[in-house]
Amino acid sequence: MKKTHYRTLWLSDIHLGNRDCKAEYLLSFLNSITVDTLYLVGDIVDMWQMTKQFRWPQAHNQVMHKFMQMSQDGTRVVYLPGNHDEPIQSYSGMAFGDIEIERELVHTTAQGKRYLVLHGDQFDGDVTMGKFHAWIGDKGYDLLLFLNREFNRLRAWRKREYWSLAGYIKKHIKGANEAIARYREACCRRADEMGLDGVVCGHIHHPESSFESSFENGIHYINDGDWIENCSALSEDVNGNLSLIHYLDSLESATVTPITTKTSRSEAA
């Protein structure tokens, strides 16, 4: 079977070690592609969860081995640690074998557009409304994942495909949408201050592409999503076209949403 080739791929919030990680689906996706540069945009390993209960199924181990194999086979692999894999942040600027470790960096597409790449936990102070609200949000998300897990266990028993109940509920919670908007604003502000065209991030498990026109030259905000709820990724083809991949919209084939980009700042100058 011919594999799909990407110039660049962004993955984040895989949460290996977490019982809700969709490692089997991710492994299937990785085995169907080749890529020049792979950005692992944080929360790849859920060290928080593993301190509570150690879980490391075979599929999770295979995903890690796949990343290492890709780095040895010619793919540039860059790991940008987030908050759930925070201990790795101290190794920024170094390398683990053939895998580079960076806290954040700037990616230039084949079309010359420049994007800030980072996990996004850097902006938690702009999003949360205090420790109590953060605790409530964390416990509420745990409940959502429990409901999502049980809901999809029933769907699997009925031979139905996976569907993110957690994602559906979040979209209909006003407070969640307000937090996402504050997070988007904070990410775009950083990219604007750096004179970039956009930002690629993860962290909030909400795949999205939008142009924020409130900034003078407009900022392209892209969240590549996660492999807990959405099984999504961001890709760049050899011509510099960006697309959000929603891998499990159909188990028959992935759904790819092309992203129309605007003129880069360097071109507009």
Side-chain angles (χ1 to χ4, degrees):
M1 182 179 69
K2 184 177 180 180
K3 295 185 178 184
T4 302
H5 181 74
Y6 299 112
R7 181 177 187 264
T8 316
L9 187 74
W10 290 261
L11 296 169
S12 75
D13 298 273
I14 299 170
H15 290 274
L16 295 169
N18 189 304
R19 67 184 301 175
D20 292 295
C21 168
K22 305 298 186 295
E24 293 85 356
Y25 294 139
L26 176 57
L27 191 62
S28 176
F29 173 56
L30 292 174
N31 286 333
S32 71
I33 67 169
T34 58
V35 58
D36 294 332
T37 298
L38 171 64
Y39 292 118
L40 301 173
V41 194
D43 287 4
I44 305 306
V45 178
D46 196 334
M47 295 180 179
W48 285 11
Q49 184 61 37
M50 291 173 69
T51 59
K52 301 176 186 177
Q53 180 183 14
F54 184 82
R55 296 182 74 260
W56 197 254
Q58 181 63 23
H60 295 211
N61 199 49
Q62 290 175 325
V63 169
M64 284 300 294
H65 278 285
K66 181 65 177 180
F67 291 146
M68 290 187 283
Q69 177 190 333
M70 293 172 73
S71 71
Q72 294 167 2
D73 290 344
T75 296
R76 180 193 178 202
V77 179
V78 185
Y79 192 152
L80 299 98
N83 51 315
H84 282 257
D85 41 20
E86 182 178 6
I88 303 176
Q89 293 179 12
S90 61
Y91 296 98
S92 180
M94 302 173 66
F96 178 76
D98 296 309
I99 298 177
E100 303 170 37
I101 302 173
E102 298 288 349
R103 183 61 170 137
E104 60 182 67
L105 52 74
V106 174
H107 171 79
T108 303
T109 72
Q111 296 179 3
K113 297 178 176 62
R114 297 185 301 151
Y115 288 80
L116 173 64
V117 183
L118 75 178
H119 180 65
D121 58 297
Q122 293 92 332
F123 308 113
D124 281 353
D126 298 280
V127 177
T128 59
M129 296 181 292
K131 291 184 178 180
F132 177 73
H133 286 88
W135 182 84
I136 290 293
D138 184 58
K139 296 301 179 183
Y141 188 60
D142 286 344
L143 175 61
L144 279 182
L145 290 181
F146 170 77
L147 294 174
N148 191 70
R149 190 162 56 246
E150 295 305 312
F151 175 74
N152 279 287
R153 182 175 289 131
L154 177 60
R155 286 179 68 87
W157 178 74
R158 299 179 62 185
K159 301 188 184 303
R160 303 286 296 277
E161 71 278 4
Y162 173 85
W163 185 73
S164 179
L165 175 65
Y168 176 82
I169 293 175
K170 281 201 303 183
K171 288 179 182 178
H172 293 81
I173 297 176
K174 181 181 179 181
N177 289 324
E178 290 175 350
I180 290 171
R182 290 196 299 272
Y183 175 76
R184 185 192 306 116
E185 171 77 14
C187 290
C188 290
R189 188 183 310 116
R190 171 74 70 82
D192 182 65
E193 290 170 352
M194 295 175 67
L196 303 176
D197 297 296
V199 56
V200 178
C201 57
H203 191 41
I204 61 172
H205 298 197
H206 184 72
E208 179 186 1
S209 170
S210 63
F211 287 95
E212 300 305 306
S213 57
S214 58
F215 297 91
E216 183 178 355
N217 295 304
I219 295 294
H220 189 189
Y221 168 84
I222 310 176
N223 193 301
D224 60 18
D226 65 281
W227 290 81
I228 288 283
E229 304 169 39
N230 299 288
C231 297
S232 57
L234 174 67
S235 68
E236 177 194 3
D237 67 19
V238 294
N239 297 313
N241 300 307
L242 300 174
S243 298
L244 275 175
I245 299 171
H246 298 271
Y247 186 66
L248 288 183
D249 273 3
S250 168
L251 292 179
E252 298 298 324
S253 60
T255 297
V256 178
T257 305
I259 296 172
T260 302
T261 57
K262 296 184 178 180
T263 302
S264 68
R265 288 189 170 197
S266 58
E267 292 173 325

